[in-house]
């Protein structure tokens, strides 16, 4: 009899192994770090594919853009670097160093080197306060040109632009405020407006006084878009749009240099040798690339024709050297990067993570659009760099910090919980299948065969687990006693009574009646309950 039970268990084990082999391509059989997932998820390196796939796409596009940016900085700046610095690799080396520093910061942010709660609360507030104070210092001791003060000069000729580094901090602070208002509901609408005015308005006004209108508009538009994604009403939307239009018109009319840029945007050829010089050359460079471009390194406008060819106007060199097809591929890679970032935001475990990921993506997309549209003369040129592409240490490091925040949200989306640790302790496989560390160990207790049971038709008693038996709840017992129509609970004396399934349960399932005829539904119902 024991051999019969052993054979049944062996047969079950074989069927279980066959099922695992059939689904081996869809499920990971060895999970070194099983985190927040379900059995139905397809896994990539132990992480659910719905989380890992956009992360891998984002990282691949990020690496491609940074590498492409380094290539284009070298191509666009080699002539100017050779003539002014005596080294064709001068700007490339510096940009490579900026990218290395930014990559280290991106990695530190991405892969849990800093606790997430500490980074988004205590550390973010401290850095925000420090950078706000530095923005105030820039107005008095900052370096700049043309009446604007935007940088603080550091050692070895490096310039530090605090307005670029305050942008990731504003996103984190705004995401925290929105989380407190929408999810935790700890503040009301007045508290929301006050906190937003403080964490956004103070640094934004300091940036506007530098003046740096491009960064101010990027911050304002990003925060507005984050509020819209959280469910801002349409009345507030149209009110904000009207406020933006009035603000732009007022700043344009009150400042001569902004009015001049607006006139250049309307028709750059009115003064093509004066105020429209850069705009006309940028358009000529971009359109001269044709369908497939002149080839990498074969630009002609970089030969001291187009000023700032490796900085603000690098998009013109891209169009000249890569042509329409290459430019479209470049735009497609950046679009996939932004799309993957929004997908990461959708998988975030809370509102704060979603707003950090999507806010960072919006800021990168807005800055990219402002630069590209300014080069193509669609909007007035604001002097903002193209993320990951243009030359500039502050811009490159700031953009990589935003990318690190997006990746960190993806990592936190797969955070391990106490329920994952509990599920990991379960044993579900046979001892012959090399799948889990708990093979052959039952989480329910020692296996034993219940003794004292009669053997019927050559079949042994049931096999049960020697686990702890819970006591019958008093309320359930009272309900059972008060209901005369219910059968008494089969659970007595701390255990379960054996249910009589007739002499051979397979006869009941086989469908044969007592008289050899097919079993009728009425007979089955009578035999089923009359036991």
């Amino acid at each position: 009899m024991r051999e019969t039970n052993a054979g049944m268990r062996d047969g079950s084990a074989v069927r279980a192994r066959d099922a695992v082999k059939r689904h081996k391509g869809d499920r990971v059989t060895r999970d070194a770090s099983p985190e927040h997932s379900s059995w139905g998820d397809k896994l990539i390196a132990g992480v659910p594919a719905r989380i890992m796939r956009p992360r891998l796409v984002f990282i691949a596009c990020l690496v491609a853009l940074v590498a492409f940016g380094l290539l284009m900085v070298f191509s666009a700046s080699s002539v100017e670097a050779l003539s002014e610095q005596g080294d064709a690799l001068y700007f490339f080396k510096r940009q490579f160093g900026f990218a290395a520093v930014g990559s280290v910061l991106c990695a530190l942010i991405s892969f849990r080197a800093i606790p997430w709660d500490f980074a988004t609360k205590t550390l973010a507030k401290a850095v925000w306060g420090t950078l706000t104070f530095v923005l105030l210092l820039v107005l008095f001791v900052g370096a700049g040109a043309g009446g604007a003060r935007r940088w603080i000069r550091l050692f070895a000729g490096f310039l530090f632009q605090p307005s670029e580094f305050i942008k990731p901090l504003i996103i984190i602070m705004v995401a925290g405020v929105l989380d407190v208002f929408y999810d935790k509901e700890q503040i009301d609408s007045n508290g929301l407006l006050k906190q937003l005015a403080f964490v956004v308005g103070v640094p934004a006004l300091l940036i506007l006084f530098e003046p740096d209108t491009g960064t101010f508009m990027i911050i304002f538009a990003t925060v507005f878009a984050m509020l819209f994604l959280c469910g801002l009403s349409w009345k507030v939307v149209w009110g904000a749009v009207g406020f933006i239009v009035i603000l732009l018109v007022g700043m344009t009319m009150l400042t001569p240099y902004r009015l001049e840029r607006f006139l250049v945007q309307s028709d750059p050829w009115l003064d093509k040798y004066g105020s429209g010089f850069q705009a006309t050359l940028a358009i000529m460079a971009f359109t001269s690339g044709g369908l497939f471009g002149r080839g990498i390194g074969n630009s002609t406008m970089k030969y001291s024709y187009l000023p700032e060819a490796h900085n603000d106007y690098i998009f013109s060199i891209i169009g000249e050297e890569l042509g329409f097809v290459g430019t479209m591929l470049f735009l497609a890679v950046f679009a996939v990067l932004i799309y993957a970032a929004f997908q990461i935001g959708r998988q975030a475990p809370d509102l704060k993570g979603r707003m950090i990921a999507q806010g960072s993506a919006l800021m990168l997309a807005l800055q990219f659009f402002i630069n590209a549209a300014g080069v193509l003369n669609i909007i007035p040129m604001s002097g903002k760099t193209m993320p990951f592409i243009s030359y500039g240490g502050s811009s490159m490091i700031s953009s990589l910090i935003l990318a690190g925040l997006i990746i960190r949200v993806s990592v936190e989306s797969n955070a391990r919980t106490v329920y994952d640790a509990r599920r990991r302790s379960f044993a579900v496989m046979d001892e012959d299948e090399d799948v889990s560390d708990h093979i052959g160990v039952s989480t329910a207790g020692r296996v034993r065969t219940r003794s004292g049971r009669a053997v019927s038709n050559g079949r042994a008693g049931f096999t049960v687990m020697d686990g702890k038996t819970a006591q019958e709840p008093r309320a359930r017992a009272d309900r059972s006693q008060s209901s005369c129509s219910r059968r008494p609970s089969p659970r007595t004396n701390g255990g379960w009574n054996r249910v009589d399934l007739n002499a051979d349960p397979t006869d009941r399932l086989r469908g044969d009646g007592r008289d050899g005829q097919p079993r009728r539904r009425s007979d089955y119902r009578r035999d089923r309950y009359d036991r």
Side-chain angles (χ1 to χ4, degrees):
M1 298 177 186
R2 292 183 178 179
E3 293 178 358
T4 303
N5 288 338
M8 294 174 63
R9 288 195 298 269
D10 292 340
S12 300
V14 171
R15 289 192 296 271
R17 286 196 298 269
D18 293 340
V20 171
K21 291 178 181 178
R22 285 195 302 270
H23 299 282
K24 191 173 182 180
D26 295 335
R27 289 167 57 182
V28 174
T29 57
R30 184 181 300 276
D31 188 4
S33 59
E35 295 185 348
H36 190 62
S37 62
S38 62
W39 288 106
D41 280 329
K42 294 184 178 180
L43 305 179
I44 301 176
V47 180
R50 58 185 171 81
I51 296 176
M52 181 60 85
R53 187 180 294 111
R55 186 193 309 175
L56 294 177
V57 171
F58 181 85
I59 294 175
C61 293
L62 177 64
V63 173
L65 288 174
V66 173
F68 178 71
L70 291 173
L71 175 64
M72 292 309 303
V73 165
F74 170 69
S75 176
S77 66
S78 57
V79 175
E80 181 179 349
L82 183 62
S83 62
E84 295 183 1
Q85 305 295 335
D87 183 8
L89 298 174
Y90 175 78
F91 293 106
F92 172 80
K93 292 177 182 178
R94 292 171 63 91
Q95 185 75 347
F96 184 84
F98 299 145
V101 173
S103 298
V104 172
L105 292 177
C106 179
L108 290 176
I109 296 171
S110 301
F111 301 109
R112 295 181 178 175
I114 305 174
W116 184 238
D117 289 338
F118 174 75
T120 56
K121 294 179 181 178
T122 306
L123 183 61
K125 292 179 181 178
V127 178
W128 177 90
T130 303
L131 289 177
T132 302
F133 178 73
V134 175
L135 284 172
L136 182 62
L137 291 179
V138 168
L139 300 179
F140 301 98
V141 298
R149 295 179 180 269
R150 302 178 184 177
W151 298 271
I152 290 181
R153 194 175 301 277
L154 301 178
F155 58 91
F158 289 100
L159 296 175
F160 174 73
Q161 188 175 0
S163 60
E164 287 291 330
F165 292 94
I166 197 69
K167 294 189 296 184
L169 273 302
I170 289 178
I171 290 177
I172 296 175
M173 299 293 288
V174 171
V177 174
L178 294 177
D179 180 66
V180 171
F181 176 74
Y182 283 102
D183 272 7
K184 299 179 181 179
E185 298 182 354
Q186 296 178 353
I187 57 176
D188 55 6
S189 300
N190 293 330
L192 173 67
L193 294 177
K194 290 178 181 179
Q195 293 193 24
L196 288 178
F198 179 71
V199 300
V200 179
V202 173
L205 288 177
L206 293 176
I207 292 172
L208 186 62
F209 290 151
E210 290 182 357
D212 189 354
T213 309
T215 302
F216 174 81
M217 295 307 302
I218 290 174
I219 292 174
F220 188 89
T222 301
V223 173
F224 171 74
M226 293 171 66
L227 291 171
F228 179 74
L229 291 175
C230 285
L232 198 65
S233 65
W234 284 102
K235 293 181 179 179
V236 181
V237 170
W238 288 114
V241 171
F243 173 75
I244 293 174
V245 172
I246 295 173
L247 183 64
L248 289 175
V249 173
M251 290 189 301
T252 301
M253 299 301 296
L254 294 177
T255 51
Y257 79 95
R258 293 193 181 103
L259 181 60
E260 182 181 7
R261 289 184 179 181
F262 179 79
L263 295 176
V264 169
Q265 185 271 330
S266 61
D267 189 359
W269 276 271
L270 287 177
D271 189 9
K272 60 182 178 180
Y273 296 110
S275 59
F277 181 72
Q278 277 184 303
T280 54
L281 288 180
I283 296 173
M284 292 169 61
F286 187 85
T287 56
S288 64
L291 188 60
F292 297 104
R294 301 177 183 272
I296 298 293
N298 294 327
S299 170
T300 58
M301 287 296 178
K302 66 182 180 182
Y303 286 89
S304 300
Y305 289 105
L306 178 63
E308 302 294 335
H310 60 289
N311 197 344
D312 298 346
Y313 287 90
I314 196 171
F315 190 56
S316 297
I317 306 301
I318 293 175
E320 183 182 7
E321 295 186 350
L322 299 183
F324 177 79
V325 175
T327 303
M328 289 297 103
L329 290 176
F330 165 63
L331 295 177
V333 173
F334 196 89
V336 172
L337 177 87
I338 301 302
Y339 176 78
F342 270 86
Q343 292 297 107
I344 289 174
R346 291 182 58 187
Q347 300 295 336
D350 53 11
L351 179 64
K352 180 191 289 187
R354 181 165 67 91
M355 286 295 98
I356 290 176
Q358 295 183 353
S360 300
L362 284 168
M363 184 163 284
L364 292 172
L366 285 171
Q367 185 163 337
F368 184 95
F369 171 78
I370 288 175
N371 177 270
V375 170
L376 299 179
N377 208 42
I378 299 174
I379 62 175
M381 189 64 183
S382 62
K384 300 311 300 175
T385 57
M386 181 168 283
F388 310 116
I389 307 298
S390 297
Y391 173 80
S394 298
S395 175
M396 174 63 76
I397 296 175
S398 173
S399 299
L400 287 173
I401 289 175
L402 290 172
L405 290 175
I406 295 172
I407 299 173
R408 181 60 179 270
V409 170
S410 177
V411 173
E412 292 297 323
S413 300
N414 196 39
R416 184 177 298 176
T417 65
V418 294
Y419 306 105
D420 298 310
R422 177 61 178 163
R423 284 194 293 267
R424 182 168 173 76
S425 65
F426 292 166
V428 295
M429 301 302 296
D430 181 73
E431 60 183 356
D432 295 330
E433 184 67 23
D434 185 15
V435 176
S436 173
D437 296 336
H438 305 87
I439 298 306
V441 179
S442 172
T443 58
R446 179 177 59 83
V447 180
R448 67 180 177 85
T449 302
R450 180 171 295 183
S451 59
R453 296 296 180 184
V455 179
S456 174
N457 291 342
R459 294 184 180 273
F462 288 111
T463 299
V464 298
M465 310 307 296
D466 191 16
K468 294 183 179 180
T469 303
Q471 298 298 325
E472 184 74 17
R474 183 179 301 274
R476 182 177 177 181
D478 295 341
R479 289 195 303 269
S480 299
Q481 294 174 2
S482 62
S483 177
C484 60
S485 61
R486 294 182 180 177
R487 298 182 62 181
S489 173
R491 190 171 186 175
T492 59
N493 299 326
W496 290 88
N497 289 332
R498 179 178 177 181
V499 180
D500 187 6
L501 297 179
N502 297 327
D504 191 354
T506 58
D507 291 339
R508 182 168 56 86
L509 301 176
R510 205 174 281 131
D512 296 333
R514 292 188 178 89
D515 55 354
Q517 299 299 323
R519 183 184 294 270
R520 297 190 300 271
R521 184 178 299 273
S522 60
D523 295 335
Y524 173 75
R525 186 181 300 110
R526 183 177 62 254
D527 291 345
R528 179 181 179 185
Y529 291 99
D530 189 17
R531 293 201 280 260

